[in-house]
Amino acid sequence: MRTLYPDIEPFHSQLLSREEMPDGRRHEVYFEQCGNPQGIPVIFLHGGPGSGCRPQHRCYFDPTLYHIILFDQRGCGRSLPSGELEHNTTDYLIADMEAIRTLLNIDKWMLFGGSWGATLALAYARQYSQHVSNIVLRGTFLGRQQDIDWVYSAGGASRVFAEAWHALVKDLPATEQTKPLAYYYQQLTQSDEQQQIETANTLQNWEATIVMLREQHYQPDIEQSAGPLAHSRIQLHYALNGCFLADKPLLESIEKINQIPAVIIHGRYDMVCPMQQSWEVYQRWPKAHFEVLPLAGHAASEPAIIDALVRTTDRLASQPT
């Protein structure tokens, strides 16, 4: 089994100032560069939406061979303002990626994204295919209403994790229990900060329960600090707006990008993004390499998924350009 490359630090990081919002503030998008500045350019696209990048995300690539670029999407991680929803849509994120590519004077780069990061990779590629050398997708999420409902409405993952779903909805009004997103979004955007924290923690516990294939039941950390407010606010903002993709579904665009070399990796027991989503993409992308991991779930930190991703980036780096 392959493991992650050793921890590394960025050789450059900055906040990229973007367009002005109606109230005069600006989004400032954090990005960093690691590894070899002369290496194969790759941009890591984190999931969520809303989660932000972590040091582990630098380590799926051989730092002697790759020029590794990571960025925290709008409102996420180290980007400012934290949790900001204004001017925060898929199209804005694509524009931020293109601004980073242009600033770094990169002609073509590899897109490497899992879950929502895979969504963003597909959305960027169909708009800027001429600037994409390869695509690596993990746990593909297509952002359709049916994909959102699988996670956040009764009848999807709730059927496998019935007790965790009960914990998520038991205190909600009966009318909100089959589709609780709008109710939780209202709680996350009201003025009571303690209520916001409790709501974010409740959502986090549900998501953490279903995200990973594990031998034991998930146990929340009772010592955890304030919940991931920015993450939850942004995630529900995108979910309630159909990931801003309803009028331009990704699956209908695959033929526009299916000449780009691609690798699609998916855990068989992915309870966040069922494997059917990657299968549907692969049916329209026959030249892609598709690998189903027989004992894996959704999380990129699972050993089988780390092994598959590192094997993939090593193999791509060894191919002649």
Side-chain angles (χ1 to χ4, degrees):
M1 294 279 285
R2 298 303 310 276
T3 57
L4 294 172
Y5 280 94
D7 290 345
I8 54 172
E9 293 296 322
F11 63 77
H12 169 264
S13 63
Q14 73 176 77
L15 286 168
L16 179 62
S17 181
R18 302 297 284 144
E19 75 290 328
E20 188 174 301
M21 291 183 280
D23 63 5
R25 296 176 303 153
R26 291 180 181 271
H27 277 283
E28 295 182 85
V29 176
Y30 173 88
F31 76 94
E32 63 183 36
Q33 303 178 71
C34 310
N36 179 358
Q38 307 305 317
I40 302 163
V42 58
I43 184 165
F44 181 98
L45 304 174
H46 69 69
S51 63
C53 289
R54 300 188 296 275
Q56 171 186 315
H57 296 159
R58 305 165 183 158
C59 303
Y60 291 95
F61 317 93
D62 184 335
T64 68
L65 300 177
Y66 279 97
H67 177 188
I68 307 157
I69 301 127
L70 297 87
F71 85 109
D72 289 334
Q73 296 158 29
R74 293 188 176 211
C76 305
R78 292 148 291 187
S79 291
L80 300 172
S82 178
E84 180 59 54
L85 305 181
E86 182 72 38
H87 285 193
N88 196 337
T89 69
T90 305
D91 284 344
Y92 279 112
L93 303 186
I94 292 170
D96 292 340
M97 290 173 61
E98 185 61 6
I100 293 169
R101 186 197 64 81
T102 302
L103 180 66
L104 299 181
N105 196 29
I106 293 170
D107 180 34
K108 288 190 175 187
W109 54 6
M110 180 189 302
L111 310 180
F112 183 102
S115 193
W116 164 253
T119 319
L120 189 55
L122 292 171
Y124 175 90
R126 73 176 173 187
Q127 189 165 337
Y128 293 106
S129 59
Q130 70 274 24
H131 295 306
V132 179
S133 58
N134 287 277
I135 303 178
V136 178
L137 306 176
R138 186 268 309 165
T140 308
F141 175 65
L142 290 172
R144 302 166 298 187
Q145 191 60 49
Q146 68 202 63
D147 308 319
I148 297 167
D149 286 346
W150 170 268
V151 181
Y152 289 118
S153 297
S158 68
R159 293 189 173 186
V160 182
F161 295 94
E163 70 277 37
W165 179 260
H166 175 72
L168 178 70
V169 303
K170 63 183 175 62
D171 295 326
L172 274 58
T175 55
E176 306 289 343
Q177 290 186 7
T178 58
K179 289 182 175 289
L181 272 194
Y183 179 88
Y184 273 121
Y185 182 75
Q186 185 272 329
Q187 297 297 304
L188 285 168
T189 54
Q190 59 147 299
S191 58
D192 186 337
E193 184 175 354
Q194 185 58 40
Q195 182 60 58
Q196 291 181 37
I197 292 170
E198 291 174 5
T199 299
N201 280 330
T202 299
L203 285 165
Q204 176 68 19
N205 287 341
W206 164 247
E207 293 159 10
T209 298
I210 69 174
V211 75
M212 181 179 291
L213 187 67
R214 52 169 68 88
E215 294 181 355
Q216 299 85 23
H217 294 299
Y218 170 72
Q219 296 294 327
D221 181 1
I222 60 174
E223 300 296 329
Q224 65 184 344
S225 57
L229 295 180
H231 181 176
S232 295
R233 279 168 54 89
I234 292 171
Q235 187 146 300
L236 268 59
H237 167 69
Y238 274 77
L240 287 167
N241 286 283
C243 295
F244 303 96
L245 292 168
D247 61 339
K248 41 191 173 182
L250 291 174
L251 199 58
E252 309 308 315
S253 306
I254 298 301
E255 284 81 1
K256 297 179 181 179
I257 62 173
N258 66 7
Q259 297 306 307
I260 300 173
V263 176
I264 306 169
I265 294 167
H266 214 119
R268 174 73 69 187
Y269 296 102
D270 189 331
M271 287 292 128
V272 177
C273 302
M275 193 270 289
Q276 177 72 18
Q277 294 178 72
S278 281
W279 176 253
E280 291 181 60
V281 172
Y282 178 56
Q283 296 310 294
R284 302 185 183 215
W285 207 331
K287 293 184 179 179
H289 173 78
F290 183 39
E291 183 175 359
V292 180
L293 307 178
L295 284 176
H298 183 71
S301 58
E302 294 183 39
I305 295 180
I306 290 174
D307 172 62
L309 291 173
V310 174
R311 281 191 288 104
T312 295
T313 59
D314 283 355
R315 177 173 58 81
L316 293 177
S318 69
Q319 293 177 348
T321 56

